[in-house]
Amino acid sequence: RTSGRSCTRSDVRSGPREPPRRLREHRGQPQRGQVDADERAARREPEHLHAKGVDDAPTDHGDRQRGRVADRVLGPMSAPAPANHRAGFVSIVGSPNVGKSTLMNALLGENLSICTPKASTTRQRIMGIANEDEWQIVYSDTPGVVKPSYKLHEGMMGAVRCAIEDADVILFITDVLEEGFRDEKMLARVRSAEVPVLMLINKVDLLGKPLPPGVPKPYSMRARERAARAAAGGVPEVYDAYDAYGEEEEEKPSFPQPMAMNVTSILAWWSAQLPGAEMFELSAKEGNGLPELKARLLELLPLHQPYFDKTQLSDRPEKFFAAEFVRAQIFAQFDDEVPYSCEVEVTAFVESDNKIKAEATVHVMRDSQKGILIGHKGSGVKKLTEGAQRDLYRFFGKRVDLRLQIKVSKNWRADDMLLKQFGYLR
């Protein structure tokens, strides 16, 4: 297997603005999880420098057969692009459950980020790379903005701040159900960014539809999830709002709010909050408004050579996506606080021509949560494994032999060592 090299923004960024300080500090330093060439050949793993934290990191990679999503996560370097080539970083920022991951998947045309009706599914910054001969757009899907309640939240919000800092264009997304914005400091950070900001009003397809029963006005964050579940045809469920949003009770923003489900008032309110931002109405789920948004992004991109290889779909290694699909099944199959108390760590990933063997540990916070995941006579973990294997087969295009272990790691969301191990902190 031959290997090439893909670059991070800090390696090739041009112009007077130097790379962010955190990238300058870590540039050239070996990252946790680096695998040398001999070990990679023995294990049939792609060589990579896995970004441990919110930073994007260099990725060395091997050749792949083409035709599946995972094949384009890593690939060989391509020839230099023409002089009029455009390339840039587009960061997607907003509250939990407003459609950030759905938007990036729709813009990429691939299901790269996991999406569920539950809030705060995305925990780390994920880059998705869209390529054509004349341009390259590097999208960043980010965690939903919350008020940090523990160190996991702090790491997640660090990823959001980094994405804002690195962006050439910011896509600030809300929806027709959201009222106001719960973090004025993050909003001020977007407001002061010296790059174009596009304000997106998502889920306009919900306008005119009857509201689900039991959803009060004005919409709270918990009510917005119930609305999303009902719109998706699911049954509204109760969950631990403290885990999802960082606080037990809803707090009103300290500034005036728009009226829910009224696009005119929403546009007027956000125009006042983000002066100079361009407004777009769209439905990421239905695809409405996406062609116009993409056309405007291409106009705003600077002239630049590609930051990543043209065959590359993401900055993340395959093991990261294996963990994400397991976590997506936890969100799909379990409720209440369980999904927010779990973290998935892939401990082994060996790929052959027609099969992948993977082992993963699901970390939970309490013994009771371990029992819920395992289920009666192992039925819960069996169902979880089967669901994850189906998703992984669709992603990698080959059969996946997955082994799951459930482990109690008490209070891992506040443990610096574990959070660094999982990639949330440096």
Side-chain angles (χ1 to χ4, degrees):
R1 293 158 72 94
T2 60
S3 64
R5 183 180 186 280
S6 60
C7 300
T8 66
R9 185 174 196 164
S10 60
D11 294 323
V12 295
R13 179 81 190 185
S14 66
R17 195 177 81 179
E18 62 180 345
R21 178 175 59 83
R22 72 188 185 289
L23 295 184
R24 298 200 305 271
E25 290 174 348
H26 296 285
R27 184 174 176 179
Q29 298 180 10
Q31 302 294 312
R32 186 192 304 270
Q34 183 174 354
V35 181
D36 62 32
D38 293 337
E39 184 180 356
R40 186 180 76 258
R43 296 169 58 188
R44 296 191 64 83
E45 283 189 320
E47 179 183 5
H48 65 272
L49 300 178
H50 186 182
K52 302 302 291 183
V54 299
D55 303 329
D56 39 284
T59 305
D60 292 329
H61 42 75
D63 291 329
R64 290 286 191 276
Q65 297 177 350
R66 300 294 172 243
R68 59 191 176 109
V69 175
D71 288 335
R72 292 187 289 117
V73 172
L74 306 168
M77 290 299 292
S78 53
N84 63 348
H85 186 274
R86 292 181 178 271
F89 288 71
V90 176
S91 296
I92 306 171
V93 179
S95 297
N97 213 27
V98 294
K100 297 180 299 297
S101 298
T102 302
L103 175 63
M104 189 177 83
N105 288 345
L107 291 169
L108 289 174
E110 303 285 0
N111 291 325
L112 193 65
S113 288
I114 61 174
C115 300
T116 75
K118 293 184 174 72
S120 294
T121 303
T122 301
R123 290 180 181 167
Q124 299 196 48
R125 178 183 179 183
I126 303 172
M127 290 187 183
I129 307 168
N131 292 290
E132 291 292 346
D133 292 339
E134 302 82 11
W135 52 264
Q136 180 181 84
I137 304 178
V138 184
Y139 297 102
S140 285
D141 183 20
T142 63
V145 175
V146 298
K147 293 182 179 180
S149 296
Y150 34 80
K151 289 184 179 179
L152 170 63
H153 280 160
E154 293 175 6
M156 291 163 59
M157 294 307 97
V160 179
R161 290 191 294 271
C162 290
I164 293 173
E165 181 179 333
D166 293 347
D168 291 300
V169 181
I170 296 174
L171 300 183
F172 195 94
I173 182 170
T174 185
D175 63 24
V176 297
L177 302 174
E178 183 176 25
E179 290 198 335
F181 193 70
R182 61 201 298 106
D183 192 330
E184 173 60 25
K185 290 183 178 179
M186 195 69 75
L187 186 60
R189 189 180 293 267
V190 174
R191 190 184 298 122
S192 62
E194 297 180 356
V195 297
V197 177
L198 306 186
M199 183 67 222
L200 313 182
I201 312 300
N202 191 26
K203 303 183 184 179
V204 295
D205 54 301
L206 296 182
L207 294 175
K209 292 185 178 181
L211 299 180
V215 176
K217 288 186 178 181
Y219 280 90
S220 67
M221 298 294 281
R222 280 168 284 187
R224 289 177 56 255
E225 179 175 306
R226 293 199 294 272
R229 285 180 174 275
V235 178
E237 298 175 6
V238 178
Y239 66 100
D240 189 339
Y242 180 88
D243 286 307
Y245 298 115
E247 53 194 49
E248 294 179 349
E249 299 296 332
E250 296 296 321
E251 295 182 2
K252 297 293 184 183
S254 58
F255 41 85
Q257 305 175 52
M259 295 178 59
M261 300 294 283
N262 186 321
V263 172
T264 302
S265 66
I266 292 173
L267 291 172
W269 189 86
W270 281 108
S271 295
Q273 300 303 313
L274 297 174
E278 299 180 42
M279 301 289 169
F280 288 81
E281 301 175 30
L282 55 87
S283 170
K285 181 179 178 180
E286 302 296 332
N288 301 332
L290 295 185
E292 295 81 1
L293 174 61
K294 201 166 191 177
R296 182 56 179 147
L297 287 175
L298 293 176
E299 294 174 354
L300 295 172
L301 287 182
L303 292 174
H304 203 287
Q305 289 291 297
Y307 292 102
F308 293 87
D309 175 68
K310 286 284 189 172
T311 62
Q312 203 169 337
L313 182 62
S314 178
D315 66 319
R316 294 285 185 170
E318 293 169 322
K319 291 172 70 172
F320 173 83
F321 293 102
E324 286 290 276
F325 284 115
V326 175
R327 203 163 58 82
Q329 282 296 317
I330 295 175
F331 269 81
Q333 296 184 25
F334 299 92
D335 298 306
D336 300 320
E337 85 285 356
V338 173
Y340 302 102
S341 301
C342 294
E343 178 62 25
V344 179
E345 180 184 22
V346 175
T347 55
F349 189 94
V350 181
E351 182 176 2
S352 62
D353 292 337
N354 59 358
K355 184 179 179 181
I356 294 173
K357 290 185 177 181
E359 297 178 6
T361 299
V362 180
H363 297 264
V364 297
M365 297 181 63
R366 298 194 294 269
D367 290 326
S368 60
Q369 296 162 352
K370 179 178 180 178
I372 292 173
L373 287 179
I374 294 175
H376 180 62
K377 296 183 178 180
S379 60
V381 71
K382 179 181 179 182
K383 183 180 178 182
L384 175 60
T385 302
E386 291 173 347
Q389 286 182 147
R390 286 194 298 269
D391 289 347
L392 291 170
Y393 175 80
R394 285 192 287 266
F395 185 78
F396 289 108
K398 57 179 64 175
R399 188 164 66 88
V400 178
D401 182 8
L402 177 64
R403 297 287 184 269
L404 293 182
Q405 175 187 2
I406 315 299
K407 179 180 179 180
V408 177
S409 299
K410 294 184 178 180
N411 204 27
W412 66 263
R413 296 183 305 191
D415 188 307
D416 282 359
M417 185 179 69
L418 287 176
L419 291 175
K420 289 178 181 178
Q421 178 179 322
F422 300 152
Y424 295 107
L425 300 177
R426 280 195 176 275

